[in-house]
Amino acid sequence: MSSRTLPLLFINLGGEMLYILDQRLRAQNIPADKAKKVMNDIITTMFNKKFLEELFKPQELYSKKALRTVFDRLAHASIMRLNQASMDKLYDLMTMAFKYQVLLCPRPKDILLISFNHMDAIRDFVKDAPGILNQVDETYQQLIEMYAPMSSGDFQLIRQTLLIFFQDMHIRVSIFLKDKVQNSNGRFVLSTSGPVPYGTQVPGTIRLFSCSGDEMSRLQFSNGGNYCVALREGSFELFGDRVTKLGTNMYSVSRPVETHMSGTAKHSAQHTKVNTAPNPLAKEELNLLARLMGGLEVQKPGNTDSDFRLNLFANDEEEEEALLLRPDELSYGVINIQATKDQQASAALAKIMGEFTESGHQPTSACNKGDDLLAMMDGL
């Protein structure tokens, strides 16, 4: 497991979230000033300096529930509100899109190009806001400084860590099913055509060499696909052509966010198999998450009249139906964590973490052990 995976996971999932929200804000005809405020507020929070300092520290990935908590918090960083069904759908779309990109990237190092595609799009969202743009550019530099010197082996470990994180997520998404890049069981289809990884050759040739290293003969075989040589490598600089389209915005006015997701509630492996066993690392994870969330300085809107609700479904009826089909094990609300330097909040966190001691009182019921991270933080 790589301890340098979390920043890439967060930035890419955040980029996908912004793509989806941007499309839905336009589809629901939200006034331009409100839509702009939502995007700017979320991006400002996402690239908060203190938050990124915690994010870029070497650390293990959080559990799925813990990471979901961070994105719940991030999605509600402005005047926009999502109910639980829409938040579920938003997170499912985000995770499946990035899983698809990780699976299809030709080389492990191309995960960084995917990240830069997301960063390029985020920069375009805030091109008229110099202050936020500066935050985004600083994050570019952090990404380049951290990941550019890494070896292919380091990126392979990052890719493996991401795939382990995504391995039980097989949610069927209509846009992927229509493009025939996802099967009905939720698994993605890997293409046997197109460019091979940059710096490699098209498969189909076996070369025989002598002991001195001279080529003696060649044998040809059918590679079973329609491959071609990659003509150039994507740019890993601040500005440049990334070449790959993975990580770019796949939503548009003519191709909106699909309102119907097959298997989102009942048939998703992600939703039906939630591990309820006590987590031995709960105390450490809570500590890390508390510090990370402490960097999220979310502004509370002064005028509640300006708040509005965003629906990721075609209508309210469809949203209500999805909420009814939601599994019980996912029925936790949006966690209200006070992300400031409030001493009372710090004391509350310390008290909660103090309960995680081996010598502490053991409740009689497994469901009351307090190992669930979200339930533990619910009282903050």
Side-chain angles (χ1 to χ4, degrees):
M1 299 284 284
S2 174
S3 61
R4 298 289 188 181
T5 308
L6 185 59
L8 295 179
L9 179 62
F10 175 79
I11 287 172
N12 285 284
L13 288 179
E16 287 299 322
M17 181 177 75
L18 290 168
Y19 291 160
I20 296 165
L21 292 179
D22 174 64
Q23 197 283 328
R24 293 307 297 166
L25 287 167
R26 288 185 282 113
Q28 289 188 211
N29 296 316
I30 301 299
D33 57 334
K34 286 189 175 183
K36 192 69 174 177
K37 176 175 174 55
V38 168
M39 299 295 286
N40 285 354
D41 286 349
I42 291 177
I43 295 171
T44 299
T45 305
M46 184 176 171
F47 293 100
N48 175 275
K49 185 176 181 180
K50 182 182 176 183
F51 177 74
L52 290 178
E53 285 176 359
E54 294 294 336
L55 188 73
F56 274 83
K57 290 178 180 178
Q59 56 194 294
E60 297 298 323
L61 285 185
Y62 298 143
S63 68
K64 294 178 177 67
K65 278 191 174 182
L67 193 66
R68 164 64 185 268
T69 303
V70 174
F71 281 101
D72 275 343
R73 176 74 174 173
L74 187 61
H76 294 87
S78 187
I79 58 175
M80 178 191 70
R81 298 291 173 260
L82 299 171
N83 80 4
Q84 202 62 66
S86 285
M87 187 66 218
D88 286 345
K89 180 177 178 182
L90 173 63
Y91 191 71
D92 287 343
L93 287 168
M94 290 159 48
T95 52
M96 292 307 291
F98 186 42
K99 178 181 179 179
Y100 173 73
Q101 294 157 12
V102 173
L103 280 171
L104 264 67
C105 67
R107 305 173 301 171
K109 189 177 181 180
D110 290 338
I111 292 174
L112 190 53
L113 292 177
I114 295 171
S115 305
F116 284 154
N117 271 336
H118 283 116
M119 291 291 293
D120 292 344
I122 293 170
R123 178 199 274 138
D124 191 57
F125 283 138
V126 295
K127 59 186 177 183
D128 298 325
I132 310 175
L133 192 60
N134 184 58
Q135 288 180 259
V136 176
D137 287 342
E138 287 180 1
T139 307
Y140 269 107
Q141 295 299 336
Q142 287 181 278
L143 287 171
I144 293 171
E145 289 173 9
M146 177 177 287
Y147 295 102
M150 285 190 177
S151 66
S152 297
D154 291 331
F155 278 107
Q156 174 60 22
L157 190 58
I158 288 174
R159 184 174 186 267
Q160 200 169 16
T161 304
L162 288 170
L163 292 176
I164 291 172
F165 181 83
F166 288 128
Q167 67 179 348
D168 295 326
M169 299 181 183
H170 305 298
I171 303 161
R172 294 175 292 175
V173 181
S174 296
I175 195 169
F176 291 137
L177 293 169
K178 286 182 178 179
D179 286 347
K180 301 187 185 301
V181 297
Q182 189 180 34
N183 291 325
S184 58
N185 61 2
R187 300 183 183 275
F188 290 113
V189 178
L190 300 182
S191 176
T192 56
S193 62
V196 296
Y198 179 80
T200 62
Q201 298 177 346
V202 174
T205 303
I206 300 174
R207 295 178 175 84
L208 301 178
F209 294 86
S210 65
C211 295
S212 60
D214 297 324
E215 184 177 329
M216 297 178 59
S217 62
R218 295 187 181 189
L219 299 175
Q220 302 294 326
F221 67 92
S222 174
N223 57 28
N226 184 22
Y227 298 102
C228 61
V229 176
L231 299 178
R232 55 199 174 92
E233 185 179 26
S235 172
F236 291 92
E237 301 299 324
L238 184 60
F239 299 99
D241 183 4
R242 314 301 179 190
V243 178
T244 180
K245 297 301 181 185
L246 295 174
T248 56
N249 193 347
M250 63 180 177
Y251 308 106
S252 63
V253 176
S254 59
R255 186 176 185 174
V257 175
E258 292 292 337
T259 57
H260 175 260
M261 290 180 60
S262 305
T264 311
K266 284 188 175 180
H267 307 104
S268 166
Q270 176 193 1
H271 289 172
T272 57
K273 295 181 180 179
V274 176
N275 183 16
T276 57
N279 180 5
L281 297 178
K283 179 178 177 180
E284 288 78 3
E285 184 176 68
L286 178 61
N287 185 31
L288 289 170
L289 182 61
R291 286 192 291 107
L292 185 62
M293 299 299 287
L296 278 172
E297 297 178 359
V298 180
Q299 295 181 354
K300 292 185 178 180
N303 182 14
T304 55
D305 293 337
S306 64
D307 289 8
F308 67 92
R309 186 173 67 88
L310 190 71
N311 188 351
L312 265 74
F313 295 83
N315 50 58
D316 291 343
E317 289 75 16
E318 189 176 323
E319 187 179 42
E320 290 171 3
E321 181 182 356
L323 191 59
L324 292 174
L325 294 174
R326 191 168 185 264
D328 292 337
E329 56 265 33
L330 289 187
S331 296
Y332 55 87
V334 175
I335 306 304
N336 182 21
I337 300 172
Q338 188 173 1
T340 66
K341 298 179 180 178
D342 193 336
Q343 293 182 353
Q344 291 182 349
S346 299
L349 281 173
K351 180 180 178 181
I352 293 173
M353 289 188 291
E355 294 175 0
F356 284 85
T357 57
E358 294 182 356
S359 60
H361 174 68
Q362 297 294 327
T364 56
S365 173
C367 63
N368 293 327
K369 288 184 177 180
D371 60 280
D372 186 282
L373 180 63
L374 297 173
M376 291 186 298
M377 301 180 77
D378 193 37
L380 295 182

PDB file of all heavy atoms in Angstrom, residues 116-145:
ATOM      1  N   PHE A 116      -3.852  15.705 -13.776  1.00  0.00           N
ATOM      2  CA  PHE A 116      -3.638  17.012 -14.405  1.00  0.00           C
ATOM      3  C   PHE A 116      -4.819  17.403 -15.294  1.00  0.00           C
ATOM      4  O   PHE A 116      -5.139  18.591 -15.420  1.00  0.00           O
ATOM      5  CB  PHE A 116      -2.344  17.016 -15.218  1.00  0.00           C
ATOM      6  CG  PHE A 116      -1.103  17.109 -14.368  1.00  0.00           C
ATOM      7  CD1 PHE A 116       0.102  16.600 -14.817  1.00  0.00           C
ATOM      8  CD2 PHE A 116      -1.123  17.709 -13.128  1.00  0.00           C
ATOM      9  CE1 PHE A 116       1.253  16.689 -14.048  1.00  0.00           C
ATOM     10  CE2 PHE A 116       0.017  17.803 -12.345  1.00  0.00           C
ATOM     11  CZ  PHE A 116       1.210  17.293 -12.808  1.00  0.00           C
ATOM     12  N   ASN A 117      -5.465  16.433 -15.927  1.00  0.00           N
ATOM     13  CA  ASN A 117      -6.668  16.748 -16.702  1.00  0.00           C
ATOM     14  C   ASN A 117      -7.761  17.307 -15.794  1.00  0.00           C
ATOM     15  O   ASN A 117      -8.453  18.263 -16.154  1.00  0.00           O
ATOM     16  CB  ASN A 117      -7.180  15.496 -17.424  1.00  0.00           C
ATOM     17  CG  ASN A 117      -6.560  15.315 -18.800  1.00  0.00           C
ATOM     18  OD1 ASN A 117      -6.114  16.286 -19.419  1.00  0.00           O
ATOM     19  ND2 ASN A 117      -6.508  14.092 -19.282  1.00  0.00           N
ATOM     20  N   HIS A 118      -7.913  16.702 -14.625  1.00  0.00           N
ATOM     21  CA  HIS A 118      -8.883  17.233 -13.668  1.00  0.00           C
ATOM     22  C   HIS A 118      -8.471  18.627 -13.195  1.00  0.00           C
ATOM     23  O   HIS A 118      -9.305  19.540 -13.098  1.00  0.00           O
ATOM     24  CB  HIS A 118      -9.015  16.293 -12.464  1.00  0.00           C
ATOM     25  CG  HIS A 118      -9.830  15.068 -12.731  1.00  0.00           C
ATOM     26  ND1 HIS A 118      -9.322  13.790 -12.695  1.00  0.00           N
ATOM     27  CD2 HIS A 118     -11.142  14.924 -13.037  1.00  0.00           C
ATOM     28  CE1 HIS A 118     -10.276  12.919 -12.962  1.00  0.00           C
ATOM     29  NE2 HIS A 118     -11.396  13.578 -13.168  1.00  0.00           N
ATOM     30  N   MET A 119      -7.198  18.804 -12.912  1.00  0.00           N
ATOM     31  CA  MET A 119      -6.708  20.099 -12.447  1.00  0.00           C
ATOM     32  C   MET A 119      -6.885  21.173 -13.528  1.00  0.00           C
ATOM     33  O   MET A 119      -7.235  22.328 -13.224  1.00  0.00           O
ATOM     34  CB  MET A 119      -5.245  19.986 -12.048  1.00  0.00           C
ATOM     35  CG  MET A 119      -4.982  19.165 -10.799  1.00  0.00           C
ATOM     36  SD  MET A 119      -5.572  19.968  -9.290  1.00  0.00           S
ATOM     37  CE  MET A 119      -4.467  21.374  -9.199  1.00  0.00           C
ATOM     38  N   ASP A 120      -6.636  20.804 -14.788  1.00  0.00           N
ATOM     39  CA  ASP A 120      -6.812  21.764 -15.893  1.00  0.00           C
ATOM     40  C   ASP A 120      -8.266  22.244 -15.961  1.00  0.00           C
ATOM     41  O   ASP A 120      -8.529  23.434 -16.176  1.00  0.00           O
ATOM     42  CB  ASP A 120      -6.417  21.114 -17.226  1.00  0.00           C
ATOM     43  CG  ASP A 120      -4.916  20.836 -17.325  1.00  0.00           C
ATOM     44  OD1 ASP A 120      -4.155  21.405 -16.521  1.00  0.00           O
ATOM     45  OD2 ASP A 120      -4.523  20.041 -18.197  1.00  0.00           O
ATOM     46  N   ALA A 121      -9.197  21.305 -15.798  1.00  0.00           N
ATOM     47  CA  ALA A 121     -10.619  21.665 -15.846  1.00  0.00           C
ATOM     48  C   ALA A 121     -11.002  22.531 -14.652  1.00  0.00           C
ATOM     49  O   ALA A 121     -11.778  23.490 -14.783  1.00  0.00           O
ATOM     50  CB  ALA A 121     -11.481  20.400 -15.887  1.00  0.00           C
ATOM     51  N   ILE A 122     -10.461  22.206 -13.477  1.00  0.00           N
ATOM     52  CA  ILE A 122     -10.752  23.005 -12.282  1.00  0.00           C
ATOM     53  C   ILE A 122     -10.212  24.413 -12.448  1.00  0.00           C
ATOM     54  O   ILE A 122     -10.868  25.401 -12.081  1.00  0.00           O
ATOM     55  CB  ILE A 122     -10.152  22.324 -11.032  1.00  0.00           C
ATOM     56  CG1 ILE A 122     -10.879  21.011 -10.746  1.00  0.00           C
ATOM     57  CG2 ILE A 122     -10.240  23.247  -9.818  1.00  0.00           C
ATOM     58  CD1 ILE A 122     -10.223  20.149  -9.679  1.00  0.00           C
ATOM     59  N   ARG A 123      -9.030  24.529 -13.014  1.00  0.00           N
ATOM     60  CA  ARG A 123      -8.469  25.856 -13.270  1.00  0.00           C
ATOM     61  C   ARG A 123      -9.372  26.663 -14.195  1.00  0.00           C
ATOM     62  O   ARG A 123      -9.569  27.865 -14.011  1.00  0.00           O
ATOM     63  CB  ARG A 123      -7.073  25.734 -13.889  1.00  0.00           C
ATOM     64  CG  ARG A 123      -6.461  27.099 -14.214  1.00  0.00           C
ATOM     65  CD  ARG A 123      -5.337  26.993 -15.216  1.00  0.00           C
ATOM     66  NE  ARG A 123      -4.071  26.708 -14.567  1.00  0.00           N
ATOM     67  CZ  ARG A 123      -3.176  25.832 -15.030  1.00  0.00           C
ATOM     68  NH1 ARG A 123      -3.468  25.102 -16.087  1.00  0.00           N
ATOM     69  NH2 ARG A 123      -2.030  25.674 -14.417  1.00  0.00           N
ATOM     70  N   ASP A 124      -9.950  25.998 -15.188  1.00  0.00           N
ATOM     71  CA  ASP A 124     -10.848  26.687 -16.118  1.00  0.00           C
ATOM     72  C   ASP A 124     -12.121  27.147 -15.414  1.00  0.00           C
ATOM     73  O   ASP A 124     -12.681  28.188 -15.759  1.00  0.00           O
ATOM     74  CB  ASP A 124     -11.188  25.755 -17.284  1.00  0.00           C
ATOM     75  CG  ASP A 124     -11.891  26.480 -18.418  1.00  0.00           C
ATOM     76  OD1 ASP A 124     -11.313  27.451 -18.939  1.00  0.00           O
ATOM     77  OD2 ASP A 124     -13.018  26.083 -18.775  1.00  0.00           O
ATOM     78  N   PHE A 125     -12.592  26.378 -14.424  1.00  0.00           N
ATOM     79  CA  PHE A 125     -13.791  26.776 -13.675  1.00  0.00           C
ATOM     80  C   PHE A 125     -13.578  28.103 -12.940  1.00  0.00           C
ATOM     81  O   PHE A 125     -14.520  28.869 -12.751  1.00  0.00           O
ATOM     82  CB  PHE A 125     -14.172  25.700 -12.657  1.00  0.00           C
ATOM     83  CG  PHE A 125     -14.856  24.486 -13.248  1.00  0.00           C
ATOM     84  CD1 PHE A 125     -14.531  23.210 -12.815  1.00  0.00           C
ATOM     85  CD2 PHE A 125     -15.835  24.622 -14.223  1.00  0.00           C
ATOM     86  CE1 PHE A 125     -15.158  22.089 -13.351  1.00  0.00           C
ATOM     87  CE2 PHE A 125     -16.466  23.510 -14.772  1.00  0.00           C
ATOM     88  CZ  PHE A 125     -16.130  22.245 -14.335  1.00  0.00           C
ATOM     89  N   VAL A 126     -12.340  28.360 -12.493  1.00  0.00           N
ATOM     90  CA  VAL A 126     -12.074  29.547 -11.664  1.00  0.00           C
ATOM     91  C   VAL A 126     -11.153  30.541 -12.379  1.00  0.00           C
ATOM     92  O   VAL A 126     -10.451  31.312 -11.738  1.00  0.00           O
ATOM     93  CB  VAL A 126     -11.469  29.139 -10.301  1.00  0.00           C
ATOM     94  CG1 VAL A 126     -12.466  28.346  -9.488  1.00  0.00           C
ATOM     95  CG2 VAL A 126     -10.181  28.336 -10.486  1.00  0.00           C
ATOM     96  N   LYS A 127     -11.172  30.528 -13.698  1.00  0.00           N
ATOM     97  CA  LYS A 127     -10.266  31.400 -14.458  1.00  0.00           C
ATOM     98  C   LYS A 127     -10.529  32.887 -14.212  1.00  0.00           C
ATOM     99  O   LYS A 127      -9.641  33.714 -14.423  1.00  0.00           O
ATOM    100  CB  LYS A 127     -10.383  31.092 -15.952  1.00  0.00           C
ATOM    101  CG  LYS A 127     -11.786  31.280 -16.536  1.00  0.00           C
ATOM    102  CD  LYS A 127     -11.840  30.822 -17.972  1.00  0.00           C
ATOM    103  CE  LYS A 127     -13.258  30.939 -18.541  1.00  0.00           C
ATOM    104  NZ  LYS A 127     -13.345  30.432 -19.929  1.00  0.00           N
ATOM    105  N   ASP A 128     -11.735  33.225 -13.751  1.00  0.00           N
ATOM    106  CA  ASP A 128     -12.067  34.626 -13.488  1.00  0.00           C
ATOM    107  C   ASP A 128     -11.919  34.997 -12.011  1.00  0.00           C
ATOM    108  O   ASP A 128     -12.331  36.090 -11.601  1.00  0.00           O
ATOM    109  CB  ASP A 128     -13.510  34.913 -13.932  1.00  0.00           C
ATOM    110  CG  ASP A 128     -13.701  34.697 -15.427  1.00  0.00           C
ATOM    111  OD1 ASP A 128     -12.759  34.977 -16.192  1.00  0.00           O
ATOM    112  OD2 ASP A 128     -14.794  34.247 -15.822  1.00  0.00           O
ATOM    113  N   ALA A 129     -11.346  34.112 -11.230  1.00  0.00           N
ATOM    114  CA  ALA A 129     -11.153  34.374  -9.793  1.00  0.00           C
ATOM    115  C   ALA A 129      -9.670  34.204  -9.462  1.00  0.00           C
ATOM    116  O   ALA A 129      -9.233  33.094  -9.140  1.00  0.00           O
ATOM    117  CB  ALA A 129     -12.005  33.425  -8.957  1.00  0.00           C
ATOM    118  N   PRO A 130      -8.876  35.273  -9.556  1.00  0.00           N
ATOM    119  CA  PRO A 130      -7.420  35.176  -9.387  1.00  0.00           C
ATOM    120  C   PRO A 130      -6.980  34.547  -8.072  1.00  0.00           C
ATOM    121  O   PRO A 130      -6.016  33.780  -8.045  1.00  0.00           O
ATOM    122  CB  PRO A 130      -6.954  36.640  -9.476  1.00  0.00           C
ATOM    123  CG  PRO A 130      -8.050  37.347 -10.213  1.00  0.00           C
ATOM    124  CD  PRO A 130      -9.313  36.648  -9.845  1.00  0.00           C
ATOM    125  N   GLY A 131      -7.673  34.861  -6.992  1.00  0.00           N
ATOM    126  CA  GLY A 131      -7.285  34.310  -5.700  1.00  0.00           C
ATOM    127  C   GLY A 131      -7.396  32.800  -5.656  1.00  0.00           C
ATOM    128  O   GLY A 131      -6.485  32.104  -5.185  1.00  0.00           O
ATOM    129  N   ILE A 132      -8.528  32.272  -6.158  1.00  0.00           N
ATOM    130  CA  ILE A 132      -8.732  30.823  -6.179  1.00  0.00           C
ATOM    131  C   ILE A 132      -7.786  30.174  -7.182  1.00  0.00           C
ATOM    132  O   ILE A 132      -7.250  29.084  -6.943  1.00  0.00           O
ATOM    133  CB  ILE A 132     -10.194  30.483  -6.522  1.00  0.00           C
ATOM    134  CG1 ILE A 132     -11.158  31.278  -5.641  1.00  0.00           C
ATOM    135  CG2 ILE A 132     -10.457  28.992  -6.375  1.00  0.00           C
ATOM    136  CD1 ILE A 132     -12.622  31.101  -6.001  1.00  0.00           C
ATOM    137  N   LEU A 133      -7.566  30.867  -8.294  1.00  0.00           N
ATOM    138  CA  LEU A 133      -6.657  30.354  -9.320  1.00  0.00           C
ATOM    139  C   LEU A 133      -5.257  30.163  -8.756  1.00  0.00           C
ATOM    140  O   LEU A 133      -4.559  29.187  -9.079  1.00  0.00           O
ATOM    141  CB  LEU A 133      -6.631  31.316 -10.505  1.00  0.00           C
ATOM    142  CG  LEU A 133      -5.967  30.829 -11.804  1.00  0.00           C
ATOM    143  CD1 LEU A 133      -6.672  29.594 -12.344  1.00  0.00           C
ATOM    144  CD2 LEU A 133      -5.964  31.937 -12.847  1.00  0.00           C
ATOM    145  N   ASN A 134      -4.845  31.055  -7.896  1.00  0.00           N
ATOM    146  CA  ASN A 134      -3.533  30.938  -7.268  1.00  0.00           C
ATOM    147  C   ASN A 134      -3.462  29.706  -6.365  1.00  0.00           C
ATOM    148  O   ASN A 134      -2.429  29.014  -6.322  1.00  0.00           O
ATOM    149  CB  ASN A 134      -3.245  32.198  -6.455  1.00  0.00           C
ATOM    150  CG  ASN A 134      -1.852  32.190  -5.864  1.00  0.00           C
ATOM    151  OD1 ASN A 134      -0.859  32.083  -6.578  1.00  0.00           O
ATOM    152  ND2 ASN A 134      -1.766  32.305  -4.548  1.00  0.00           N
ATOM    153  N   GLN A 135      -4.558  29.412  -5.664  1.00  0.00           N
ATOM    154  CA  GLN A 135      -4.618  28.203  -4.845  1.00  0.00           C
ATOM    155  C   GLN A 135      -4.447  26.951  -5.703  1.00  0.00           C
ATOM    156  O   GLN A 135      -3.720  26.019  -5.340  1.00  0.00           O
ATOM    157  CB  GLN A 135      -5.963  28.107  -4.121  1.00  0.00           C
ATOM    158  CG  GLN A 135      -6.168  29.090  -2.982  1.00  0.00           C
ATOM    159  CD  GLN A 135      -7.543  28.908  -2.347  1.00  0.00           C
ATOM    160  OE1 GLN A 135      -8.461  29.666  -2.616  1.00  0.00           O
ATOM    161  NE2 GLN A 135      -7.692  27.889  -1.521  1.00  0.00           N
ATOM    162  N   VAL A 136      -5.123  26.931  -6.857  1.00  0.00           N
ATOM    163  CA  VAL A 136      -5.046  25.781  -7.756  1.00  0.00           C
ATOM    164  C   VAL A 136      -3.626  25.619  -8.297  1.00  0.00           C
ATOM    165  O   VAL A 136      -3.082  24.502  -8.336  1.00  0.00           O
ATOM    166  CB  VAL A 136      -6.065  25.923  -8.906  1.00  0.00           C
ATOM    167  CG1 VAL A 136      -5.917  24.781  -9.908  1.00  0.00           C
ATOM    168  CG2 VAL A 136      -7.485  25.969  -8.371  1.00  0.00           C
ATOM    169  N   ASP A 137      -3.001  26.721  -8.700  1.00  0.00           N
ATOM    170  CA  ASP A 137      -1.637  26.656  -9.239  1.00  0.00           C
ATOM    171  C   ASP A 137      -0.635  26.172  -8.192  1.00  0.00           C
ATOM    172  O   ASP A 137       0.324  25.462  -8.517  1.00  0.00           O
ATOM    173  CB  ASP A 137      -1.219  28.022  -9.778  1.00  0.00           C
ATOM    174  CG  ASP A 137      -1.919  28.380 -11.088  1.00  0.00           C
ATOM    175  OD1 ASP A 137      -2.439  27.451 -11.743  1.00  0.00           O
ATOM    176  OD2 ASP A 137      -1.959  29.570 -11.451  1.00  0.00           O
ATOM    177  N   GLU A 138      -0.836  26.554  -6.944  1.00  0.00           N
ATOM    178  CA  GLU A 138       0.045  26.075  -5.876  1.00  0.00           C
ATOM    179  C   GLU A 138      -0.082  24.559  -5.714  1.00  0.00           C
ATOM    180  O   GLU A 138       0.901  23.865  -5.436  1.00  0.00           O
ATOM    181  CB  GLU A 138      -0.292  26.774  -4.559  1.00  0.00           C
ATOM    182  CG  GLU A 138       0.154  28.233  -4.503  1.00  0.00           C
ATOM    183  CD  GLU A 138      -0.210  28.891  -3.183  1.00  0.00           C
ATOM    184  OE1 GLU A 138      -0.783  28.201  -2.307  1.00  0.00           O
ATOM    185  OE2 GLU A 138       0.089  30.093  -3.021  1.00  0.00           O
ATOM    186  N   THR A 139      -1.307  24.048  -5.911  1.00  0.00           N
ATOM    187  CA  THR A 139      -1.508  22.606  -5.817  1.00  0.00           C
ATOM    188  C   THR A 139      -0.833  21.888  -6.973  1.00  0.00           C
ATOM    189  O   THR A 139      -0.287  20.783  -6.794  1.00  0.00           O
ATOM    190  CB  THR A 139      -3.016  22.276  -5.785  1.00  0.00           C
ATOM    191  OG1 THR A 139      -3.646  23.042  -4.757  1.00  0.00           O
ATOM    192  CG2 THR A 139      -3.245  20.803  -5.515  1.00  0.00           C
ATOM    193  N   TYR A 140      -0.851  22.494  -8.173  1.00  0.00           N
ATOM    194  CA  TYR A 140      -0.094  21.935  -9.299  1.00  0.00           C
ATOM    195  C   TYR A 140       1.359  21.726  -8.892  1.00  0.00           C
ATOM    196  O   TYR A 140       1.946  20.658  -9.130  1.00  0.00           O
ATOM    197  CB  TYR A 140      -0.115  22.900 -10.491  1.00  0.00           C
ATOM    198  CG  TYR A 140      -1.220  22.720 -11.486  1.00  0.00           C
ATOM    199  CD1 TYR A 140      -2.268  23.613 -11.560  1.00  0.00           C
ATOM    200  CD2 TYR A 140      -1.201  21.667 -12.399  1.00  0.00           C
ATOM    201  CE1 TYR A 140      -3.281  23.489 -12.503  1.00  0.00           C
ATOM    202  CE2 TYR A 140      -2.203  21.528 -13.349  1.00  0.00           C
ATOM    203  CZ  TYR A 140      -3.243  22.440 -13.395  1.00  0.00           C
ATOM    204  OH  TYR A 140      -4.226  22.299 -14.321  1.00  0.00           O
ATOM    205  N   GLN A 141       1.958  22.755  -8.297  1.00  0.00           N
ATOM    206  CA  GLN A 141       3.366  22.680  -7.922  1.00  0.00           C
ATOM    207  C   GLN A 141       3.599  21.573  -6.894  1.00  0.00           C
ATOM    208  O   GLN A 141       4.610  20.853  -6.964  1.00  0.00           O
ATOM    209  CB  GLN A 141       3.830  24.029  -7.363  1.00  0.00           C
ATOM    210  CG  GLN A 141       3.801  25.169  -8.374  1.00  0.00           C
ATOM    211  CD  GLN A 141       4.713  24.935  -9.575  1.00  0.00           C
ATOM    212  OE1 GLN A 141       5.674  24.180  -9.492  1.00  0.00           O
ATOM    213  NE2 GLN A 141       4.390  25.571 -10.692  1.00  0.00           N
ATOM    214  N   GLN A 142       2.683  21.432  -5.954  1.00  0.00           N
ATOM    215  CA  GLN A 142       2.814  20.368  -4.963  1.00  0.00           C
ATOM    216  C   GLN A 142       2.753  18.991  -5.617  1.00  0.00           C
ATOM    217  O   GLN A 142       3.514  18.087  -5.263  1.00  0.00           O
ATOM    218  CB  GLN A 142       1.714  20.485  -3.903  1.00  0.00           C
ATOM    219  CG  GLN A 142       1.915  21.631  -2.924  1.00  0.00           C
ATOM    220  CD  GLN A 142       0.804  21.695  -1.882  1.00  0.00           C
ATOM    221  OE1 GLN A 142      -0.270  22.233  -2.140  1.00  0.00           O
ATOM    222  NE2 GLN A 142       1.045  21.151  -0.716  1.00  0.00           N
ATOM    223  N   LEU A 143       1.844  18.845  -6.584  1.00  0.00           N
ATOM    224  CA  LEU A 143       1.741  17.568  -7.300  1.00  0.00           C
ATOM    225  C   LEU A 143       3.014  17.263  -8.072  1.00  0.00           C
ATOM    226  O   LEU A 143       3.524  16.130  -8.036  1.00  0.00           O
ATOM    227  CB  LEU A 143       0.541  17.604  -8.252  1.00  0.00           C
ATOM    228  CG  LEU A 143      -0.848  17.520  -7.627  1.00  0.00           C
ATOM    229  CD1 LEU A 143      -1.919  17.785  -8.680  1.00  0.00           C
ATOM    230  CD2 LEU A 143      -1.076  16.152  -6.985  1.00  0.00           C
ATOM    231  N   ILE A 144       3.540  18.259  -8.754  1.00  0.00           N
ATOM    232  CA  ILE A 144       4.757  18.065  -9.549  1.00  0.00           C
ATOM    233  C   ILE A 144       5.937  17.727  -8.648  1.00  0.00           C
ATOM    234  O   ILE A 144       6.723  16.807  -8.923  1.00  0.00           O
ATOM    235  CB  ILE A 144       5.050  19.318 -10.402  1.00  0.00           C
ATOM    236  CG1 ILE A 144       3.967  19.485 -11.481  1.00  0.00           C
ATOM    237  CG2 ILE A 144       6.432  19.222 -11.055  1.00  0.00           C
ATOM    238  CD1 ILE A 144       4.040  20.801 -12.238  1.00  0.00           C
ATOM    239  N   GLU A 145       6.069  18.469  -7.544  1.00  0.00           N
ATOM    240  CA  GLU A 145       7.189  18.226  -6.635  1.00  0.00           C
ATOM    241  C   GLU A 145       7.128  16.841  -6.000  1.00  0.00           C
ATOM    242  O   GLU A 145       8.150  16.179  -5.818  1.00  0.00           O
ATOM    243  CB  GLU A 145       7.199  19.299  -5.537  1.00  0.00           C
ATOM    244  CG  GLU A 145       7.611  20.682  -6.032  1.00  0.00           C
ATOM    245  CD  GLU A 145       7.437  21.750  -4.958  1.00  0.00           C
ATOM    246  OE1 GLU A 145       7.158  21.369  -3.789  1.00  0.00           O
ATOM    247  OE2 GLU A 145       7.583  22.947  -5.282  1.00  0.00           O
TER     248      GLU A 145
END
